[in-house]
């Protein structure tokens, strides 16, 4: 998409540029963990529709159920009630078309960078040669060229997380789910990764859901920001981000950026949390 065609969105973020179909539908979804010490209700009924190509950020207090929501979307755990549909099909197991970046990088210590990145290809029994070329390209883009044959313990935390992001993208999934992928990074690396993620989204038009503790990060990257309540989490509000694309870091000083960040922050003050 040419940059000149991008315009300021207003109202419904995704539909302002082009009407897109709903790709992910979260329908009356609840989750209660059953433990030996009793039930832990984690999600109250959640309804959410995410359009193809949309970038949605989710913010909320610690322990409100954000990771739970992402794991449900990834088909890693079953809902207690309600369902999630991707492309109209109920999610019952991890779908092929989804890439996930976990809250910590969870790389396999005995595998090199390239072999960690190739994991989803092996698991899905996809063509090795074409995907190996793709893996190398992703690794280069992530600034990890020359580190293909290193082990996770030979990498910095940021490099490990970038490896995990390459792994989530290697099979070219339509949907990418990210759980605080930049939480452990220093502020400058984090900003670089934000720009990189924006570039990936812009070039590939993937549908991305990002969980973050950073309100500025959510506003900077997303088309819409979902604000969750305390546990059991439900949706307190959904905000369209009224900023054009591509976005530069300077836009964080834009009055619209500051106003929306403040509005989101007020939810946490209201709940007694400084997130
Ligand atoms: N496997 C589990 N068994 C029992 N309870 C769980 C399990 N996983 C999560 N929980 C509980 O569910 C609630 C939501 O957890 P979740 O990890 O989804 O929160 P979160 O919003 O991602 O928090 P954070 O921002 O700290 O990562 C928490 O109270 C947690 O203790
Ligand atoms: Mg979490």
């Amino acid at each position: 998409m040419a940059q000149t065609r991008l315009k300021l969105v207003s109202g419904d973020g995704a539909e302002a540029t082009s009407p897109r179909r709903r790709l992910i539908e979260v329908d009356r979804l609840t989750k209660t963990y059953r433990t030996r010490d009793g039930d832990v209700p984690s999600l109250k009924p959640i309804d959410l529709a995410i359009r193809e190509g949309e970038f949605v950020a989710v913010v909320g207090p610690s322990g409100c159920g954000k990771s739970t929501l992402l794991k449900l979307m990834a088909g890693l755990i079953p809902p207690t009630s309600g369902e999630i549909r991707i492309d109209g099909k109920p999610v019952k197991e991890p779908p092929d078309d989804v890439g996930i970046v976990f809250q910590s990088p969870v790389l396999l210590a005995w595998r090199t960078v390239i072999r960690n990145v190739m994991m989803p290809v092996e698991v899905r029994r996809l063509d090795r040669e074409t995907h190996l070329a793709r893996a190398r390209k992703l690794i280069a883009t992530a600034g990890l060229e020359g580190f293909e044959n290193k082990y996770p313990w030979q990498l910095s935390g940021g490099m490990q997380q970038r490896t995990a992001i390459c792994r989530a993208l290697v099979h070219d999934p339509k949907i990418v789910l990210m759980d605080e992928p930049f939480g452990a990074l220093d502020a400058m690396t984090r900003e670089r990764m934000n720009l990189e993620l924006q570039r990936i989204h812009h070039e590939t038009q993937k549908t991305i859901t990002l969980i973050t503790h950073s309100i500025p990060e959510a506003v900077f990257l997303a088309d819409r920001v979902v604000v969750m309540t305390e546990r059991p989490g439900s949706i307190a509000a959904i905000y369209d981000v009224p900023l054009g694309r591509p976005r530069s870091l300077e836009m964080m000083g834009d009055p619209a950026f500051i106003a929306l960040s403040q509005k989101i922050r007020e939810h946490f003050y209201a709940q007694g949390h400084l997130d």
Side-chain angles (χ1 to χ4, degrees):
M1 197 190 309
Q3 293 182 2
T4 45
R5 273 201 286 137
L6 290 165
K7 56 182 179 184
L8 269 180
V9 293
S10 59
D12 188 325
E15 285 177 1
T17 40
S18 64
R20 289 187 161 159
R21 70 199 173 92
R22 293 165 158 219
L23 183 60
I24 306 173
E25 289 166 300
V26 179
D27 190 2
R28 306 306 290 163
L29 183 77
T30 74
K31 180 70 183 176
T32 296
Y33 290 104
R34 315 258 180 233
T35 72
R36 248 183 270 152
D37 306 324
D39 288 355
V40 185
S42 293
L43 290 177
K44 277 205 277 211
I46 302 257
D47 288 298
L48 180 66
I50 299 177
R51 292 177 200 79
E52 190 168 28
E54 196 178 14
F55 196 130
V56 170
V58 179
V59 298
S62 182
C64 76
K66 301 181 295 298
S67 295
T68 299
L69 175 61
L70 214 74
K71 285 177 199 158
L72 287 159
M73 287 167 76
L76 295 171
I77 54 173
T80 302
S81 65
E83 69 176 8
I84 295 185
R85 292 182 294 276
I86 293 182
D87 257 341
K89 284 194 290 280
V91 173
K92 303 260 189 241
E93 55 185 22
D96 275 346
D97 240 6
V98 172
I100 182 160
V101 182
F102 293 98
Q103 204 159 349
S104 58
V106 287
L107 301 175
L108 298 176
W110 59 92
R111 283 188 162 226
T112 58
V113 165
I114 188 86
R115 295 200 59 226
N116 265 291
V117 171
M118 285 292 282
M119 276 286 290
V121 176
E122 291 177 26
V123 170
R124 291 173 172 80
R125 299 175 194 278
L126 303 172
D127 179 68
R128 191 179 142 75
E129 287 313 307
T130 48
H131 286 87
L132 196 58
R134 194 180 154 75
R136 291 195 188 284
K137 216 160 149 188
L138 280 167
I139 286 170
T141 308
L144 292 167
E145 211 163 11
F147 290 87
E148 291 87 345
N149 298 317
K150 302 278 187 217
Y151 289 89
W153 52 270
Q154 295 172 303
L155 307 177
S156 72
M159 291 162 88
Q160 290 179 26
Q161 197 53 277
R162 281 183 272 155
T163 304
I165 293 168
C166 293
R167 181 182 54 190
L169 297 172
V170 73
H171 55 299
D172 200 19
K174 226 169 22 193
I175 297 168
V176 182
L177 306 173
M178 308 178 100
D179 194 350
E180 298 193 44
F182 311 132
L185 305 185
D186 65 90
M188 278 168 65
T189 309
R190 188 169 186 152
E191 284 186 347
R192 256 212 331 272
M193 293 298 291
N194 282 177
L195 291 169
E196 179 61 18
L197 182 56
Q198 172 176 245
R199 190 191 61 74
I200 290 170
H201 178 240
H202 178 71
E203 284 180 6
T204 63
Q205 295 294 301
K206 291 192 186 303
T207 306
I208 302 180
T209 299
L210 170 90
I211 291 172
T212 175
H213 269 106
S214 163
I215 294 171
E217 184 169 278
V219 175
F220 179 73
L221 285 167
D223 297 313
R224 286 190 296 161
V225 180
V226 174
V227 183
M228 288 180 64
T229 64
E230 280 179 78
R231 189 181 69 82
S234 60
I235 295 178
I238 302 180
Y239 294 102
D240 293 321
V241 179
L243 298 167
R245 289 188 185 276
R247 297 178 188 158
S248 64
L249 293 172
E250 289 78 61
M251 281 170 111
M252 291 190 174
D254 189 298
F257 189 103
I258 294 168
L260 179 53
S261 303
Q262 190 53 30
K263 215 167 175 180
I264 295 170
R265 206 163 279 125
E266 277 163 15
H267 285 273
F268 300 111
Y269 283 113
Q271 292 176 12
H273 285 276
L274 277 178
D275 219 39

